[in-house]
Amino acid sequence: MSDGHHNGHEHVPSRQRRRFPGISSRAYEHPADRSALVALRKLSGFDTVFKALSGLLPERSLRLLFLSDSVRVSDRQFVHLNVMLRDACYILDLEKVPPMYVNQDPTPNAMCIGLDEPIIVVTTGLVELLDEEEMRAVVGHEVGHALSGHAVYRTVLLFLTSLAVRVAWIPLGNVAIMAIVTALREWFRKSELSADRAGLLVGQDPRASMRGLMKIAGGNHLHEMNVDAFLEQAEEYEAGGDLRDSVLKILNVLPRSHPFTTVRAAELKKWAASRDYQRIMDGHYPRRDEDKDTSVRDSFKESASHYATHVRSSKDPLMKLVNDIAGGAGDLGDRMRRGFGGFTGSQPRPSEDGGADGDGPGKGPGPETTPGEGPEGPGGGGPQAPRDGSPRDGV
């Protein structure tokens, strides 16, 4: 499963990997995650607010806690993790290597936190669960969070949300707060997909990334599991059931900060097979020095386009219904624009004097129309969709 043994990686990576000098986090961020981050980065004075709030957050306490009660990764402790961390920062061109700690906890987990500078923490359960290449993808995942600034934005926004919950006694306050929390969790889930992509760019081994997610779901029984079968579960989850199951899926995922592991694996496989991933691997990607010129409007358009495409291509019964309703609305609108003939599915027959039945002389027949079909093809040529929780960050 691994490319080598831990003590063989003290100075160099186990194999040659591509490096991405100056890469912007926009290269791997999920469209919904990227649009939110671009907007926040453009918001005037937001960094000043961060610094003002940093004194209210327990960041210094957390740093002292990990320093005093965890093991710091270095060239003398957990050397193989230290090499992975440096490799990940080198590949993604993150100049300052964040401190990394190993915390005694049997639950497999990892997180990236911090306002002034990010801290990466992994649990002993995760270190013992994953092989070297799987762990490399997880370290890349956390470095991706650091490069995107997720630790900063998540910490502050979660703090603001927590603060707002305390005043939920205001009339309708609880409803408003729950709307904010729901939106934040949706963003968090998309940021996890972004970080999974960063992990793949670091590890550059899709099967290892899939195995890692599978082990997080099913434990250290690799001989009993199969990546392809695991991915088939994601397809069954996406397409299975009826409208009741679709509603239950939504209710199940709403309180979560992370997408389900099968869904993450399927999303990562899809991205690994995409043209976007191949272009990055070929050296064509957005650069960090171009971030300041990024358009918020274009980012939101891309995000909206992604969701529209997801609805159109989804096999989920509810998403299919939404797509059918949207298509039906477009078909209805087109028929209304074409007049009564659009509802009958046929054009009025021409009268003997050259006019149409019910019309005066001299009005010739309109273009021939097949029942149920408009001038632009099936469906009446109606308009299509545009083309265009906690601060702990688990693996």
Side-chain angles (χ1 to χ4, degrees):
M1 307 300 170
S2 170
D3 287 337
H5 299 290
H6 290 164
N7 56 11
H9 300 279
E10 294 181 3
H11 302 294
V12 294
S14 56
R15 62 182 172 84
Q16 190 67 35
R17 291 176 172 82
R18 288 182 176 86
R19 183 174 180 254
F20 310 104
I23 189 171
S24 168
S25 59
R26 292 181 292 115
Y28 58 80
E29 285 164 353
H30 185 280
D33 176 31
R34 181 166 57 243
S35 62
L37 291 175
V38 167
L40 286 173
R41 289 165 187 155
K42 291 279 187 179
L43 197 58
S44 177
F46 210 45
D47 289 340
T48 305
V49 174
F50 283 159
K51 291 176 182 176
L53 287 172
S54 63
L56 302 175
L57 298 171
E59 182 177 358
R60 295 181 70 87
S61 175
L62 285 173
R63 289 179 186 277
L64 289 172
L65 179 63
F66 289 122
L67 187 63
S68 63
D69 205 32
S70 301
V71 176
R72 183 163 58 190
V73 172
S74 67
D75 57 2
R76 293 185 295 166
Q77 301 186 116
F78 287 101
V79 177
H80 71 288
L81 292 180
N82 188 50
V83 172
M84 288 182 195
L85 176 61
R86 291 183 173 277
D87 287 345
C89 292
Y90 177 74
I91 289 170
L92 294 180
D93 200 15
L94 185 63
E95 185 175 349
K96 188 170 183 180
V97 179
M100 184 174 179
Y101 294 89
V102 176
N103 180 249
Q104 170 61 28
D105 186 340
T107 304
N109 202 7
M111 60 180 175
C112 182
I113 58 172
L115 280 175
D116 293 331
E117 53 184 55
I119 302 173
I120 295 173
V121 181
V122 297
T123 64
T124 52
L126 188 69
V127 174
E128 292 163 6
L129 175 66
L130 304 181
D131 70 26
E132 184 168 336
E133 291 306 299
E134 296 158 4
M135 192 69 198
R136 190 183 298 276
V138 169
V139 172
H141 174 111
E142 301 306 329
V143 171
H145 276 313
L147 182 58
S148 287
H150 288 149
V152 175
Y153 297 113
R154 286 178 167 207
T155 304
V156 170
L157 287 174
L158 281 169
F159 169 75
L160 293 175
T161 302
S162 175
L163 189 65
V165 168
R166 296 174 191 174
V167 295
W169 54 270
I170 298 174
L172 298 180
N174 192 48
V175 175
I177 294 304
M178 286 311 299
I180 294 172
V181 170
T182 300
L184 283 176
R185 283 176 178 158
E186 171 63 10
W187 174 23
F188 292 175
R189 289 191 289 270
K190 293 302 183 285
S191 74
E192 286 302 317
L193 300 180
S194 298
D196 284 343
R197 295 174 179 185
L200 178 57
L201 290 177
V202 168
Q204 298 174 23
D205 184 346
R207 298 294 286 188
S209 293
M210 305 293 173
R211 287 199 312 269
L213 289 168
M214 184 173 66
K215 282 185 175 181
I216 290 169
N220 192 17
H221 303 281
L222 191 58
H223 63 289
E224 297 283 356
M225 297 184 287
N226 179 280
V227 171
D228 295 326
F230 184 66
L231 291 169
E232 288 170 9
Q233 289 181 224
E235 293 182 13
E236 182 179 344
Y237 173 79
E238 171 72 12
D242 53 23
L243 289 176
R244 292 169 299 178
D245 296 305
S246 298
V247 173
L248 289 174
K249 290 176 191 176
I250 294 172
L251 294 176
N252 285 340
V253 81
L254 278 179
R256 294 175 59 93
S257 62
H258 288 55
F260 295 114
T261 47
T262 57
V263 174
R264 288 172 65 182
E267 286 287 333
L268 190 59
K269 179 187 177 185
K270 190 186 305 179
W271 190 71
S274 71
R275 187 166 175 266
D276 289 341
Y277 174 71
Q278 192 55 55
R279 282 179 59 80
I280 296 173
M281 296 302 291
D282 290 341
H284 305 292
Y285 49 80
R287 308 281 166 159
R288 219 167 294 164
D289 55 13
E290 301 167 351
D291 285 350
K292 63 182 181 300
D293 302 320
T294 307
S295 166
V296 176
R297 182 177 180 182
D298 290 345
S299 297
F300 276 107
K301 276 185 179 179
E302 188 177 356
S303 177
S305 175
H306 166 80
Y307 279 109
T309 302
H310 173 71
V311 170
R312 288 199 304 269
S313 61
S314 176
K315 298 176 183 177
D316 181 83
L318 181 58
M319 292 298 101
K320 281 179 156 183
L321 177 62
V322 169
N323 194 40
D324 290 344
I325 290 173
D331 181 59
L332 176 63
D334 184 71
R335 286 168 182 263
M336 291 179 69
R337 284 193 298 273
R338 289 189 285 119
F340 181 77
F343 289 95
T344 61
S346 61
Q347 293 291 331
R349 289 178 301 171
S351 62
E352 294 181 359
D353 60 6
D357 287 346
D359 288 331
K363 292 186 180 179
E368 183 178 351
T369 306
T370 305
E373 182 173 334
E376 314 244 342
Q384 299 297 315
R387 287 189 239 205
D388 291 313
S390 71
R392 290 182 62 87
D393 168 33
V395 291

